Amino acid sequence: MAVLKVTFTKTTRGKLALVLWVLNWISVLTGIILFSLGLFLKVEIQKRKELMSADVHSVPNMLIATGLVACVINFLGGKICYDCVDTTKFLRWKLLMLPYIVCTFLFTFCILVGALMCYSMRNELEESLFLGLRNAMLYYKDTGTPGRCYLKRTVDLLQIQFQCCGNAGFRDWFHVQWINNRWLDMTNSEVTDRLRSNVEGKYLMDGVPFSCCNTFSPRPCIQTQVTNNSAHYNYDWKTEERNLWTRGCRQVLLDHYTNIMQSIGFIVLIIWLFELWVLTGVRYLQTAMENLLRQGDPDLESDGWLLENSIAQTARSNFKIIKNLGKCYQVDDDPNIDVPSTAQQEVSTCQIPVAR
Amino acid sequence: MVLMKMKFPFEKRVKLAQGLWLLSWMATLAGAFTFTLGCFLKTELRRRAEVMDNTEIHAVPNTLMIVGLASLGINYFAGRMCQDALDAGRFPRWKTFMQPYWGVSLLFTLLMLMAVIMSYAMKGNLESSLKIGLKNGIRFYKDTDTPGRCFQKQNIDRLQMEFRCCGNTDFKDWFEVQWISNRYLDFSSKEVKDRVKSNVDGRYLFDGVPFSCCNPSSPRPCIQDRLTNNSAHYSYEHQTEELNIYIRGCREALVNYYMGLMNTIGAGVLSVFLLQSSVLVSLRYLQTTMEALAGQENTEIETEGYLLEKGVKETIMEYVTPVLVFLQLNQVGSEDTEA
């Protein structure tokens, strides 16, 4: 009993082949879209490479590879479907069709995996950003050290563009020395007091860099002595919300990337559904053409289906084939060979027959 | 004396009509492109409208938009006419349409050329508008509680950060205005009272700049206050320090940005103008060759085409004389009534 059998006349077969040809070309375009989405994500992650501790390249690489493979597979599918209109040309592709369909089925599974990975990348990214931002803030002052001299600029531009301050909040700046010793007057008593006041000899202060300043504040920015109410006129740091950016950069960057990846994941899911639909059409076309060849007359109706037998039967027959592949050789029904009884056959299959 | 006479055998006429059809479609696309360029320029100018004193510079994008729309119509009719040109029977129905058509299309083509010239020539206008606008922006920077001016601080801060500039001509403009509101000044402090008393207008002036002037590329944390005082900061010399704050003035930065934009657009529109002129010249030749065919039985004979039937001077006199006669008649009429 076939699964989802549909009868095809000659004209409907021709129409199906043409429609599938067009759909396959559209799928080539969607493959290109997939490739460019992967490329876009890769570029976005590269742009903030210095703020991430580990490279999170699995998802964009997967999307790029899947996009390229989609282009190749659908290009081939387009050619096959175009030839299916004519039964003589179909004979060329007859043996290739079933492996092609199996490969495409596995490939659509890969697209689904790619879409799901987009949604699951968040945790990996959060860990990477936490460590990356922490290191960036630690090395903010090292503008003279090769390899770290652009970190100050990167962090400043990040805080200005994304309107955020610090890792979790602006207080993170109070725990790192972000002013280099080159710009500190070591003869000044205030500086030496601060340096001596903590174990590691770091110059810590309750001040933040200028890039933390909120542009929407009605008053000029207060960057130094942020927690000292008496240092500034008419200022209460506990109620002041508009002076500095209150959000932490980790959360902001995470939201930014999660939004991008959710949109990409959604588009990839739609592409997956489209590919599945095209695959179903190709399967129907293949079975219809094969049944047509069995009947012999190209003008007759033929049946197309998804599976010849029910799902359980197909699974059983495929499992048997795989099981029998493990046997070394199989004694077949040649009447010239003296076949012993079936009970002994199982035992002696792997023995070399002795010459009589 | 005919201007630029050319002979057109039948094949050449057909080729002219076909070439003109293609050109008119290209010119239609170019007209749409001009319209979008005008829209884009207008959007960019409106984004910084708060630091511009007047909207005279908007004449450039407005002209571009009008010309773009008009050229769509002009080229559409040019295409229709050359489609009919291949059939000698259908072409004469355009005869009455041609005179107003030439007037309108010449006017808008000249307007296109004017737009190109304006996009290069209005630099001075833009600069003076920005000078006044930025001066006001800096003056009202502190008035975040005054309705109508409360967004000036925000706008100036974001302008300075985006265009990497400070002040009007340069950062010293900030030393001449009070950019900290009195609400945030402690008038019981001696330092504040001294500063306020030290100048005629009673303003709090000091050698400091807002945080938006800070340059992120500087290797040291930003120095915003006491900029001219070397001893106030360790290892600091304000005469040689270039990376601390932005040294460029915002007027210069904005003028450079807009002139760059308008020069590129002007070059593009100049090529559109040349395309449009070639369409009009080809159409004129086509019209005159087809008119020479009128009344002839054999439509495949060779005819002559020209740009102007008489010379340039005589054609101008031909159009101007009726206008002069009309004016003189008026004058004579008024003399009669006076008498």
Side-chain angles (χ1 to χ4, degrees):
Chain A
M1 185 213 70
V3 176
L4 293 175
K5 191 161 75 168
V6 176
T7 318
F8 290 100
T9 60
K10 185 174 156 80
T11 41
T12 46
R13 258 199 316 271
K15 270 199 207 131
L16 179 68
L18 279 174
V19 163
L20 280 175
W21 176 67
V22 170
L23 284 181
N24 267 306
W25 274 107
I26 296 176
S27 292
V28 173
L29 282 173
T30 56
I32 293 175
I33 290 173
L34 212 59
F35 174 76
S36 45
L37 282 176
L39 210 61
F40 168 71
L41 190 60
K42 201 172 174 83
V43 164
E44 277 290 307
I45 291 176
Q46 276 296 103
K47 267 182 4 190
R48 313 266 168 224
K49 194 177 54 149
E50 299 135 328
L51 302 167
M52 297 195 205
S53 63
D55 283 338
V56 192
H57 280 302
S58 52
V59 175
N61 287 344
M62 171 94 173
L63 286 176
I64 289 172
T66 320
L68 285 173
V69 173
C71 286
V72 169
I73 283 186
N74 287 307
F75 180 72
L76 188 64
K79 269 194 76 65
I80 292 176
C81 290
Y82 190 70
D83 285 345
C84 279
V85 180
D86 187 359
T87 36
T88 44
K89 280 196 216 162
F90 172 70
L91 286 168
R92 274 198 292 175
W93 298 108
K94 189 166 176 302
L95 288 173
L96 190 60
M97 282 289 276
L98 193 59
Y100 170 78
I101 286 177
V102 170
C103 276
T104 315
F105 180 70
L106 290 173
F107 166 72
T108 46
F109 186 67
C110 282
I111 297 184
L112 182 65
V113 166
L116 291 174
M117 272 171 83
C118 283
Y119 290 102
S120 67
M121 203 173 119
R122 195 195 151 95
N123 291 339
E124 198 185 342
L125 198 59
E126 179 157 15
E127 184 68 34
S128 177
L129 278 174
F130 172 73
L131 290 171
L133 278 171
R134 200 187 63 181
N135 287 341
M137 284 170 63
L138 277 173
Y139 305 141
Y140 180 87
K141 67 184 189 328
D142 298 332
T143 46
T145 315
R148 297 180 194 166
C149 42
Y150 287 115
L151 266 178
K152 178 183 180 291
R153 187 161 159 254
T154 310
V155 172
D156 279 334
L157 288 174
L158 173 79
Q159 294 191 144
I160 290 172
Q161 188 192 338
F162 283 89
Q163 297 178 347
C164 60
C165 186
N167 205 334
F170 63 86
R171 274 172 251 241
D172 297 323
W173 288 109
F174 301 168
H175 308 303
V176 297
Q177 178 179 354
W178 54 273
I179 304 180
N180 199 309
N181 286 337
R182 280 185 290 170
W183 321 117
L184 291 171
D185 184 7
M186 298 300 180
T187 56
N188 189 338
S189 63
E190 194 233 328
V191 173
T192 41
D193 281 345
R194 276 198 191 271
L195 286 173
R196 267 187 257 145
S197 71
N198 72 89
V199 185
E200 292 147 39
K202 288 192 289 185
Y203 183 83
L204 302 177
M205 53 187 273
D206 56 346
V208 291
F210 78 93
S211 42
C212 281
C213 288
N214 190 341
T215 49
F216 301 111
S217 168
R219 84 183 285 171
C221 186
I222 292 167
Q223 296 170 237
T224 52
Q225 295 170 305
V226 172
T227 52
N228 186 356
N229 282 353
S230 53
H232 314 277
Y233 182 66
N234 196 9
Y235 174 66
D236 184 2
W237 73 279
K238 294 210 183 71
T239 54
E240 187 67 55
E241 280 176 349
R242 280 189 297 173
N243 183 42
L244 303 172
W245 302 120
T246 44
R247 283 199 306 177
C249 288
R250 183 178 75 234
Q251 190 58 42
V252 170
L253 274 176
L254 199 60
D255 287 342
H256 170 74
Y257 279 116
T258 311
N259 281 343
I260 291 177
M261 285 194 298
Q262 274 177 353
S263 327
I264 289 180
F266 181 69
I267 295 173
V268 174
L269 271 178
I270 292 180
I271 291 177
W272 173 68
L273 286 172
F274 183 71
E275 288 276 345
L276 215 58
W277 192 36
V278 171
L279 180 67
T280 319
V282 172
R283 172 65 174 165
Y284 270 122
L285 188 66
Q286 180 228 355
T287 44
M289 294 302 286
E290 281 189 353
N291 285 333
L292 189 68
L293 284 174
R294 262 185 240 157
Q295 284 171 350
D297 186 354
D299 291 330
L300 279 181
E301 282 185 356
S302 67
D303 291 333
W305 48 60
L306 284 180
L307 291 171
E308 193 166 351
N309 308 310
S310 69
I311 298 175
Q313 269 182 297
T314 322
R316 251 180 276 146
S317 60
N318 282 334
F319 186 63
K320 222 193 268 179
I321 292 173
I322 295 169
K323 211 166 71 160
N324 287 334
L325 280 174
K327 306 257 168 86
C328 292
Y329 78 93
Q330 188 85 331
V331 179
D332 56 13
D333 301 319
D334 189 344
N336 293 322
I337 296 175
D338 183 13
V339 178
S341 63
T342 42
Q344 289 177 322
Q345 186 181 351
E346 301 281 284
V347 174
S348 59
T349 33
C350 278
Q351 287 174 346
I352 302 164
V354 176
R356 297 198 200 178
Chain B
M1 186 212 63
V2 183
L3 190 69
M4 293 181 78
K5 202 162 58 173
M6 271 178 77
K7 286 197 195 296
F8 285 96
F10 180 65
E11 293 86 26
K12 203 169 172 185
R13 258 206 311 278
V14 170
K15 276 213 197 94
L16 179 67
Q18 286 169 338
L20 180 60
W21 185 80
L22 199 64
L23 267 181
S24 70
W25 272 110
M26 279 168 60
T28 314
L29 285 172
F33 179 63
T34 311
F35 178 74
T36 43
L37 280 179
C39 286
F40 170 69
L41 186 60
K42 197 165 176 82
T43 322
E44 281 293 307
L45 284 170
R46 280 181 70 102
R47 267 174 64 185
R48 304 283 164 206
E50 308 100 4
V51 291
M52 290 193 204
D53 183 50
N54 57 46
T55 52
E56 279 169 20
I57 191 69
H58 283 257
V60 176
N62 289 344
T63 317
L64 283 176
M65 291 200 289
I66 292 170
V67 162
L69 285 175
S71 75
L72 286 175
I74 292 171
N75 292 309
Y76 169 72
F77 281 115
R80 289 288 302 276
M81 274 190 258
C82 68
Q83 265 182 334
D84 282 347
L86 293 171
D87 182 0
R90 296 217 333 232
F91 194 75
R93 67 182 175 153
W94 291 104
K95 207 174 156 68
T96 46
F97 181 69
M98 290 310 279
Q99 280 283 65
Y101 177 81
W102 283 121
V104 167
S105 49
L106 281 172
L107 176 71
F108 281 109
T109 313
L110 275 171
L111 207 61
M112 198 186 281
L113 190 64
M114 282 269 305
V116 174
I117 294 171
M118 271 201 300
S119 72
Y120 288 96
M122 285 193 89
K123 177 174 173 174
N125 200 305
L126 178 68
E127 187 152 4
S128 53
S129 170
L130 280 172
K131 186 171 185 172
I132 301 171
L134 280 169
K135 197 178 86 169
N136 287 338
I138 291 173
R139 246 184 31 208
F140 304 141
Y141 182 86
K142 66 182 190 328
D143 297 332
T144 46
D145 54 349
T146 312
R149 296 181 196 164
C150 41
F151 291 115
Q152 284 288 18
K153 178 182 179 296
Q154 233 183 75
N155 292 335
I156 297 284
D157 279 336
R158 289 162 90 190
L159 176 77
Q160 293 191 144
M161 288 201 288
E162 196 179 316
F163 283 87
R164 296 197 286 268
C165 60
C166 188
N168 199 340
T169 318
D170 62 9
F171 64 89
K172 298 200 183 90
D173 297 317
W174 289 107
F175 301 169
E176 291 152 23
V177 295
Q178 177 179 353
W179 54 273
I180 304 182
S181 175
N182 285 337
R183 284 178 293 163
Y184 310 117
L185 291 171
D186 183 9
F187 280 95
S188 56
S189 146
K190 184 178 174 301
E191 192 234 331
V192 173
K193 277 195 278 204
D194 282 343
R195 277 199 190 272
V196 168
K197 267 189 246 160
S198 71
N199 73 87
V200 185
D201 308 310
R203 293 181 292 169
Y204 183 84
L205 304 176
F206 70 116
D207 54 348
V209 290
F211 75 94
S212 42
C213 282
C214 287
N215 189 348
S217 307
S218 167
R220 83 181 287 172
C222 187
I223 292 167
Q224 293 171 237
D225 58 338
R226 293 173 293 173
L227 280 169
T228 49
N229 186 354
N230 283 351
S231 54
H233 314 278
Y234 184 69
S235 180
Y236 172 67
E237 198 179 335
H238 80 273
Q239 289 98 339
T240 53
E241 187 67 53
E242 279 178 348
L243 283 174
N244 183 41
I245 51 173
Y246 296 124
I247 37 180
R248 206 164 57 144
C250 285
R251 188 175 75 231
E252 186 197 330
L254 281 170
V255 164
N256 284 349
Y257 173 69
Y258 281 121
M259 285 321 290
L261 207 58
M262 288 205 288
N263 287 348
T264 320
I265 288 177
V269 176
L270 190 65
S271 47
V272 173
F273 166 76
L274 291 171
L275 184 65
Q276 182 74 60
S277 315
S278 61
V279 166
L280 290 177
V281 162
S282 318
L283 187 64
R284 176 65 176 168
Y285 273 122
L286 193 67
Q287 179 208 358
T288 44
T289 51
M290 293 306 290
E291 278 177 358
L293 270 182
Q296 303 274 3
E297 282 202 9
N298 182 11
T299 51
E300 294 186 13
I301 53 168
E302 191 178 283
T303 50
E304 279 178 353
Y306 49 81
L307 281 182
L308 290 172
E309 203 168 344
K310 311 181 179 96
V312 180
K313 239 192 188 167
E314 288 152 334
T315 322
I316 295 175
M317 288 312 293
E318 200 182 310
Y319 283 107
V320 168
T321 323
V323 178
L324 285 175
V325 166
F326 179 70
L327 286 173
Q328 275 176 352
L329 267 175
N330 250 359
Q331 279 184 348
V332 169
S334 58
E335 277 174 16
D336 279 344
T337 49
E338 275 176 20

